Every structure is written in structure tokens, then in C-alpha cells.
């Protein structure tokens, strides 16, 4: 038997207000942002005509991946910041951001309950008009690029985003907020993606000043890891060079910190890789290689999460690019530079694109690797495992560019010289030098090796036919 016949929720009953009996939360509780608890399940809410939300969901032919109540993706009370776009358009962009853009920006975590763009960024955007406009703009650009009918709506959002941000940066207390910095670095990626490189770089300079006001990139990271990660990584991709220093191997200093595994790998040596040990490689690059190799070997027994891999890649790439010597001031061995650029490319490969495409900076590094490889292999040369690793990294990294053919030809020569006839043969060389064992990485390298093998067979058949 029921202890109470009351159908209204507890909050409405206490306030002696009428309850519309919506589930799982009534309209009044949603509006007041309070807990909504029913003593008894409502016997049936008042009939109502289909809402805009229902019509939109019906039109999509697919239910949303995320809960509307958890993330507020479709709010019937329009509690999100106002924009100049139509309500239906805003709701569609919100849905696109929560179900697509968040995972494109941060593919390191595909869980809707833990992805930081959903659990950290989006709640912040709902209370920050500037960040909300910028977030919608990313979804709007995605929509407009697919439609190929211009950028009318995203231009409106851009103008309003900039206006809102200008008002925020006039107040230092607002300027150093996470929402402000997230907005500025996202605008940088948008402008860079549109080809407005100078404007993108200008936004990077702006966010660097905000980071300085917060006490440095590591200080930002202590309270806002997503913001710090995005700023350090995206600023590198846009400018093509590090915008922040790194901490030392012990984690001292204000800069991008090493992962804990980095400090634990200090005792490792490279004596078990004779061809590397005998090369004249500068101490800084050799140190990176040694520690990375140990971390990757340990990862076979201790799981290296995607987020930890991102932090490792960010630290390593910054460290190696920051230590590139000025050719006018000092000399460095060719082997040092071959290893430097190959490690950078390898870290980009195993990491994968995050926040924004790294195609532009990778193509620059590929060109630099080609230059040092050309200068090294003059005259007669005996290939080693290190050469196989270098060339395979270059092959994978250059896919889709004009340099791909050059690396394929290099690998064809090595396949002939070292009698490489199978993936097992190649993999033994790769894993002997530097290798993070993951299914994605293995499949990617295997795929490009098969292209090398097929090309080599074609050339071999043509040579026999000529004879």
C-alpha cells in the first residue's frame, strides 16, 4: 500500500508549487537546478504537443549518444547562452558538438562519461558565452564544410565570439579564466584551419600572455590539465615550433612536465643496440632515445594510457625541437639529426591527431629528415636496423605527400639489400630500435610495408621482363 498519494516531486511539494510531473526531472527543478525526487512515480504527465526537441530527434532518425539531461544538449528552457542563430540551429550544433566534435578534438578518450570535452569543457561553456559561441563555431564549421555553401553562420559566431572575448580580456580576473584561454586557443585553430595563419599565430601570442599571467604552463596544468594540454599542443602545431619550455628530467622548473615513467627510466643504457651505441649522437637526443626505449619496453607489462602517451609525446617533441642547434653557432652530427627528426615523427605517428591536424608540422619534419638522410648516404653504404627504422618512419609519416615516393624507393633498396621479404623480417628491425607495441601502430606500419613489397615485386618483374 502506498504511504502517500502525492504525485508531485518533493521540491515542488515543499514549496507548495504546482508540479508538471515531467520525468526524470520536472520543469521547475530543472529551471532551479535542484534535485528532483518523486515519492511515487507520476501516474501520467499532462499531455503536450511534441516539443522542438522531439521533432529534431525524429528528424535525425537516430537517438543521441549522450543524455540530454546530463549534458543539457537540448534544453527546453534555453538555459544556454543566447546567440544570434535560430534556436533549432543552435540545438543541432550542440548535438553535433557533443556527439562528434568532442571526440574528434579528443580521440584519446572515446567514453562519453569521461571525455574531458564533455565533462569539463561543456559545463564550462554553458556558463561562459564566449566559450559557448566558440564551441558552436567548431560544430558550425564542420557542418558548413560538409555542405560547401559558405560560412555565413560560422562568421556570425566568429564575430560574436571575438566581441565577447574582447570584453573578457579587459578584466584580468576574467582574462585568466579557463574559459577565456580555451576560447582563444580554439579561435587560433579555426583561423589557422581557414588559412589565416597570421591571425592564428596572433591568437597563440595572446594565449601565451594569459598563461604567463597564470604563472606559467605548469601552473595552469595543476588546476586545468585539459586547458594546459590543449594550449601547449595546439600552439606547437600552429606555429611549427615550441612555445613553451620543458621541465628537466627530474620535473623541475616551470614548463611542460615529463610523465612519471620518464623519471623512472633514467638507468637504462643503449649498449644492447650496438649500431646506435657506436653512432656519434649528442647527449640530449641520446637521452631521449634511451628513456623512450625503456618506457616502450615497460609498456608491454604496464599499460600506458592514451592520455599519458599524449603527455609523453608533447614533452618529447618539445624537448627535441627546443634542442635543435643553430647551425651558425654549433656543429652537430648527421646521426643526431637523423635520430632527432625520426623520433619526432614516430611520436606524432603513435600519438595520432588530437585537437587539430598535425599534417603541416609533420610535413616540415619529414623534409628535414629527408635532407639529413640524403647528406648521410653518399657513396657506398651498408644498411642497418637503424636505417630500416628511419626509412619506415619516414614512409609512414610522408603518406599522402609528395615525399612518399622517395621513402618508398629508399625502403625498396633496403628490402633488396637486407633480403627483407616479409613483415616479420621488417618488424624484427623496427622493434630492435624503438617500438611502441600497439595494434594501431603495427597495422599502420604493416600496411605501408605491404606497399613497399608490392612495389618491389612490380619493379623486379619489370626488370626480368626487360632481360
Amino acid at each position: 500500500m502506498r504511504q502517500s498519494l502525492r504525485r508531485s516531486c518533493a521540491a515542488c511539494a515543499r514549496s507548495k508549487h504546482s508540479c508538471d510531473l515531467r520525468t526524470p526531472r520536472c520543469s521547475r527543478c530543472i529551471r532551479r537546478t535542484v534535485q528532483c525526487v518523486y515519492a511515487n512515480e507520476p501516474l501520467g504527465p499532462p499531455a503536450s504537443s511534441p516539443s522542438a526537441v522531439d521533432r529534431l530527434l525524429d528528424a535525425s532518425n537516430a537517438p543521441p549518444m549522450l543524455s540530454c539531461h546530463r549534458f543539457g544538449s537540448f534544453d527546453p528552457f534555453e538555459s544556454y547562452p543566447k546567440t544570434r542563430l535560430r534556436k533549432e540551429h543552435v540545438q543541432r550544433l550542440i548535438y553535433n558538438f557533443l556527439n562528434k566534435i568532442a571526440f574528434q578534438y579528443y580521440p584519446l578518450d572515446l567514453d562519453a562519461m569521461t571525455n574531458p570535452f564533455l565533462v569539463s569543457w561543456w559545463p564550462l561553456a554553458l556558463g561562459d558565452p564566449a566559450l559557448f559561441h566558440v564551441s558552436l563555431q567548431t560544430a558550425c564549421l564542420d557542418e558548413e564544410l560538409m555542405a560547401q555553401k559558405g560560412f555565413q553562420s560560422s562568421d556570425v559566431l566568429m564575430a560574436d565570439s571575438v566581441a565577447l572575448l574582447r570584453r573578457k580580456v579587459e578584466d584580468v580576473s576574467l582574462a585568466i579564466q579557463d574559459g577565456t584561454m580555451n576560447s582563444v586557443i580554439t579561435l587560433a585553430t579555426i583561423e589557422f584551419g581557414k588559412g589565416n595563419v597570421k591571425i592564428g599565430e596572433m591568437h597563440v601570442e595572446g594565449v601565451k600572455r594569459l598563461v604567463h599571467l597564470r604563472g606559467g604552463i605548469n601552473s595552469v596544468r595543476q588546476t586545468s590539465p585539459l586547458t594546459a594540454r590543449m594550449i601547449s599542443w595546439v600552439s606547437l602545431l600552429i606555429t611549427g615550433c615550441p612555445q613553451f619550455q620543458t621541465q628537466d628530467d627530474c620535473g623541475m622548473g616551470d614548463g611542460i612536465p615529463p610523465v612519471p615513467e620518464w623519471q623512472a627510466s633514467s638507468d637504462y643504457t643503449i649498449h644492447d643496440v650496438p649500431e646506435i651505441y657506436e653512432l656519434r649522437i649528442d647527449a640530449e637526443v641520446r637521452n631521449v632515445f634511451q628513456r623512450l626505449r625503456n618506457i616502450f619496453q615497460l609498456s608491454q607489462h604496464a599499460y600506458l594510457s592514451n592520455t599519458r602517451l599524449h603527455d609523453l609525446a608533447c614533452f618529447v617533441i618539445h624537448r627535441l625541437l627546443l634542442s635543435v642547434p643553430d647551425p651558425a653557432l654549433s656543429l652537430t652530427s648527421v646521426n643526431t639529426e637523423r635520430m632527432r627528426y625520426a623520433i619526432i615523427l614516430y611520436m606524432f605517428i603513435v600519438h595520432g591527431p588530437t585537437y587539430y591536424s598535425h599534417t603541416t608540422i609533420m610535413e616540415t619534419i619529414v623534409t628535414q629528415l629527408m635532407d639529413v638522410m640524403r647528406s648521410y648516404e653518399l657513396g657506398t653504404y651498408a644498411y642497418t636496423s637503424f636505417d630500416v627504422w628511419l626509412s619506415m618512419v619516414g614512409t609512414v609519416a610522408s603518406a599522402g605527400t609528395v615525399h612518399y615516393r622517395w621513402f618508398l624507393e629508399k625502403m625498396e633498396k633496403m628490402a633488396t639489400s637486407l633480403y627483407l621479404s616479409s613483415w616479420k623480417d621488417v618488424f624484427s628491425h623496427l622493434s630492435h630500435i624503438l617500438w611502441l607495441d600497439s595494434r594501431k601502430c603495427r597495422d599502420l606500419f604493416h600496411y605501408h610495408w605491404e606497399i613497399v613489397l608490392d612495389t618491389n615485386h612490380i619493379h623486379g618483374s619489370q626488370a626480368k621482363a626487360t632481360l
Side-chain angles (χ1 to χ4, degrees):
M1 179 180 294
R2 288 187 173 187
Q3 296 180 348
S4 170
L5 296 178
R6 189 186 77 224
R7 290 190 293 142
S8 61
C9 73
C12 289
R14 281 196 303 270
S15 302
K16 297 183 179 180
H17 278 79
S18 174
C19 181
D20 63 6
L21 307 180
R22 289 180 180 270
T23 58
R25 299 172 68 198
C26 73
S27 303
R28 186 169 178 274
C29 287
I30 293 176
R31 200 163 50 242
R32 297 176 63 236
T33 320
V34 298
Q35 187 177 16
C36 187
V37 178
Y38 288 99
N40 304 292
E41 284 295 320
L43 298 179
S48 60
S49 59
S51 65
V53 176
D54 298 325
R55 291 195 298 271
L56 189 59
L57 291 178
D58 289 341
S60 69
N61 294 321
M65 292 168 55
L66 307 176
S67 165
C68 301
H69 300 285
R70 176 173 171 79
F71 297 107
S73 57
F74 300 108
D75 187 346
F77 299 99
E78 302 179 44
S79 61
Y80 46 76
K82 301 296 182 184
T83 74
R84 287 194 283 161
L85 302 184
R86 292 179 296 105
K87 180 176 66 174
E88 292 80 5
H89 192 185
V90 172
Q91 291 175 336
R92 187 171 71 246
L93 294 178
I94 292 173
Y95 177 82
N96 189 20
F97 182 87
L98 295 178
N99 288 274
K100 181 180 180 182
I101 303 301
F103 299 102
Q104 286 183 343
Y105 265 47
Y106 203 81
L108 305 176
D109 189 346
L110 300 179
D111 187 340
M113 295 297 105
T114 55
N115 183 290
F117 275 89
L118 300 180
V119 301
S120 301
W121 179 292
W122 185 248
L124 195 63
L126 289 177
D128 187 325
L131 184 58
F132 183 75
H133 277 72
V134 170
S135 302
L136 290 191
Q137 195 176 347
T138 62
C140 192
L141 279 170
D142 177 73
E143 185 179 81
E144 290 173 336
L145 285 170
M146 293 181 65
Q148 296 186 345
K149 294 182 179 179
F151 302 97
Q152 182 177 356
S153 297
S154 60
D155 285 345
V156 170
L157 290 169
M158 172 65 82
D160 292 346
S161 300
V162 172
L164 290 165
L165 276 173
R166 281 176 177 166
R167 288 200 289 269
K168 289 192 72 176
V169 297
E170 291 174 356
D171 185 334
V172 176
S173 64
L174 298 178
I176 62 175
Q177 290 179 347
D178 291 348
T180 307
M181 294 196 289
N182 290 342
S183 298
V184 175
I185 197 63
T186 305
L187 286 181
T189 64
I190 291 172
E191 294 289 7
F192 187 75
K194 286 182 173 181
N196 302 324
V197 178
K198 293 298 181 183
I199 299 178
E201 292 175 347
M202 179 189 71
H203 286 315
V204 169
E205 287 299 318
V207 82
K208 283 171 61 181
R209 289 194 291 271
L210 300 181
V211 169
H212 178 72
L213 291 173
R214 281 273 292 267
I217 193 67
N218 191 48
S219 296
V220 175
R221 182 185 172 87
Q222 297 302 315
T223 56
S224 313
L226 174 62
T227 300
R229 286 187 177 109
M230 187 171 180
I231 289 174
S232 55
W233 188 257
V234 170
S235 63
L236 169 70
L237 301 185
I238 290 176
T239 62
C241 58
Q243 299 301 304
F244 301 95
Q245 295 294 318
T246 61
Q247 294 182 350
D248 63 20
D249 292 335
C250 298
M252 301 298 291
D254 177 57
I256 299 170
V259 297
E261 292 86 348
W262 187 266
Q263 300 173 14
S265 61
S266 59
D267 297 331
Y268 185 73
T269 63
I270 57 174
H271 290 181
D272 63 331
V273 192
E275 58 265 47
I276 299 297
Y277 181 67
E278 295 169 1
L279 297 174
R280 292 177 53 202
I281 296 177
D282 293 353
E284 183 68 54
V285 177
R286 186 173 66 248
N287 175 55
V288 170
F289 175 80
Q290 290 176 181
R291 291 175 185 266
L292 268 182
R293 196 165 189 270
N294 194 32
I295 291 172
F296 289 168
Q297 288 185 346
L298 291 175
S299 70
Q300 299 176 21
H301 311 288
Y303 175 65
L304 188 67
S305 69
N306 288 334
T307 301
R308 188 63 61 83
L309 178 60
H310 170 66
D311 291 341
L312 176 64
C314 188
F315 176 80
V316 167
I317 293 171
H318 276 76
R319 170 69 67 85
L320 290 175
L321 288 176
L322 285 167
S323 62
V324 173
D326 185 343
L329 300 177
S330 62
L331 296 176
T332 182
S333 72
V334 175
N335 283 325
T336 296
E337 300 314 302
R338 288 203 303 165
M339 178 170 281
R340 182 195 310 279
Y341 295 126
I343 290 177
I344 292 172
L345 291 174
Y346 186 71
M347 295 308 295
F348 273 123
I349 291 168
V350 300
H351 174 272
T354 301
Y355 306 124
Y356 187 74
S357 170
H358 51 224
T359 302
T360 302
I361 189 172
M362 278 188 70
E363 188 163 357
T364 300
I365 304 298
V366 164
T367 303
Q368 292 168 321
L369 177 61
M370 286 176 60
D371 290 342
V372 293
M373 288 179 68
R374 283 194 181 107
S375 65
Y376 188 79
E377 298 177 12
L378 298 176
T380 305
Y381 182 74
Y383 295 118
T384 66
S385 293
F386 183 49
D387 297 298
V388 175
W389 182 79
L390 284 174
S391 297
M392 275 305 301
V393 168
T395 301
V396 175
S398 64
T401 73
V402 296
H403 307 305
Y404 187 60
R405 180 71 255 172
W406 188 87
F407 282 100
L408 280 181
E409 292 175 354
K410 187 68 61 180
M411 278 304 304
E412 290 169 26
K413 293 178 182 178
M414 292 184 193
T416 302
S417 176
L418 298 174
Y419 303 101
L420 306 177
S421 59
S422 67
W423 166 246
K424 183 178 179 181
D425 295 336
V426 176
F427 182 70
S428 65
H429 289 282
L430 299 178
S431 57
H432 181 59
I433 302 299
L434 186 66
W435 184 258
L436 176 62
D437 198 23
S438 70
R439 177 68 179 272
K440 181 185 75 171
C441 196
R442 188 186 291 257
D443 289 348
L444 188 59
F445 276 76
H446 190 184
Y447 170 79
H448 289 284
W449 162 248
E450 290 296 331
I451 295 177
V452 172
L453 197 61
D454 291 344
T455 306
N456 211 21
H457 285 166
I458 292 173
H459 289 170
S461 300
Q462 290 174 344
K464 290 180 180 179
T466 303
L467 293 174

